[in-house]
Amino acid sequence: GQLIDCTSAYVSTLDLDNNTTTVVAEYIGPEATDVERISDLGTTYNLTEEFGMTGDSLGALDDVFVIQSDDETIATEERAHMARYGAKSILEILLTVDSEPIAEVEYWESRRKREFKKEDIELAQAVARQVAVPIKNARLFQQAMHEIQEREALEQQIQESFERRGRQVRLSAQLSKDIVAATDLTDLYQRVVTPEKDQFGFYHTQLLRYEPSLDSIVLIAGYGEIGRQMLEDGHKMPMG
């Protein structure tokens, strides 16, 4: 900001998928307005609500342009934003990667309306190009981390699926042994609900059977004290 003698300057990243821009660096000069001096660092703005723009309209702009507060052709939201902070002129430089805007650098002038000179614009562009490199690298790093997290999540799901299948196989083998060892149906039923609950961490397991004479689903086995109490109470659910 000091290089071209402006009152403040900002570097903001662009998230066109969410239609937002976030301030990641700022310079506040000694002649900035009181409102302009309030730090904007870390603030995220909605492009449409705050500036009357969308990702598509932003991408259609030139890489370098100047916004004047008295320009009646600019969006109402943009003019209101400038008025709120006292900006008279803004030199804006878009940073793009593969023709997609990823960030913007803004140089604000709040002392007076300013026509930025050619040498000022060239100097501002040179600075912006230096800013683009770390922003691009950070963007690539974030994409890589996101892909790694997605891959790790998928690997975790696969591992959990294998473990769940393993428990099912072990449970099936155990139930086969219990069926052979069971002395009566009541004993067999209980041998079924207990490992089901223990192996899979369910809060409760139970077996029910349809009784045509009652036209109801009747509880025939339940886990633990809750299951015993429900059996004593003759728990059943009428059909329909």
Side-chain angles (χ1 to χ4, degrees):
Q2 291 175 304
L3 292 175
I4 63 171
D5 186 30
C6 61
T7 53
S8 62
Y10 307 89
V11 178
S12 302
T13 56
L14 294 167
D15 182 352
L16 300 188
D17 290 335
N18 293 308
N19 200 44
T20 59
T21 178
T22 301
V23 180
V24 296
E26 65 182 6
Y27 159 78
I28 306 298
E31 296 186 62
T33 65
D34 291 340
V35 179
E36 192 178 3
R37 290 176 182 274
I38 299 173
S39 177
D40 231 11
L41 195 61
T43 301
T44 297
Y45 293 105
N46 182 283
L47 288 171
T48 302
E49 295 175 358
E50 196 69 22
F51 308 107
M53 305 185 71
T54 64
D56 291 339
S57 62
L58 192 64
L61 295 173
D62 294 332
D63 289 345
V64 180
F65 55 94
V66 175
I67 305 172
Q68 304 289 4
S69 61
D70 61 357
D71 183 353
E72 295 183 356
T73 65
I74 65 175
T76 301
E77 295 85 354
E78 179 81 63
R79 188 181 299 108
H81 182 85
M82 294 179 70
R84 188 184 316 141
Y85 295 100
K88 300 294 191 300
S89 303
I90 299 176
L91 169 61
E92 186 157 340
I93 300 173
L94 289 178
L95 307 178
T96 60
V97 172
D98 298 329
S99 301
E100 179 184 348
I102 62 169
E104 56 186 350
V105 181
E106 295 180 347
Y107 298 88
W108 283 37
E109 178 58 71
S110 60
R111 293 167 294 194
R112 61 190 178 282
K113 179 178 179 179
R114 177 175 175 179
E115 299 294 342
F116 290 92
K117 298 178 180 179
K118 180 181 178 180
E119 53 265 32
D120 290 336
I121 295 175
E122 291 176 348
L123 181 57
Q125 285 181 291
V127 173
R129 281 193 291 269
Q130 298 300 314
V131 171
V133 175
I135 290 178
K136 179 181 178 180
N137 291 340
R139 187 183 179 95
L140 292 173
F141 176 75
Q142 290 175 346
Q143 290 175 344
M145 289 301 296
H146 180 68
E147 291 174 0
I148 290 173
Q149 290 170 353
E150 286 186 332
R151 186 161 56 248
E152 289 178 344
L154 178 59
E155 291 173 352
Q156 180 66 26
Q157 291 176 359
I158 293 173
Q159 180 64 30
E160 290 174 354
S161 177
F162 283 148
E163 292 175 355
R164 184 168 57 253
R165 180 57 180 163
R167 291 196 299 270
Q168 291 171 342
V169 171
R170 290 192 297 271
L171 179 59
S172 296
Q174 183 62 46
L175 289 176
S176 297
K177 293 179 182 179
D178 290 343
I179 290 173
V180 174
T183 56
D184 56 43
L185 285 178
T186 301
D187 181 32
L188 174 60
Y189 294 155
Q190 203 59 44
R191 286 171 179 261
V192 171
V193 297
T194 299
E196 284 276 358
K197 193 270 183 190
D198 293 340
Q199 286 285 342
F200 296 101
F202 296 141
Y203 169 73
H204 180 68
T205 55
Q206 57 187 23
L207 287 178
L208 300 106
R209 180 177 62 202
Y210 174 65
E211 288 290 349
S213 62
L214 300 174
D215 194 27
S216 298
I217 300 296
V218 178
L219 178 69
I220 59 175
Y223 180 87
E225 178 62 24
I226 296 176
R228 186 190 65 78
Q229 186 62 50
M230 292 175 69
L231 277 171
E232 290 182 359
D233 294 342
H235 179 72
K236 61 180 179 295
M237 295 180 290
M239 293 296 290

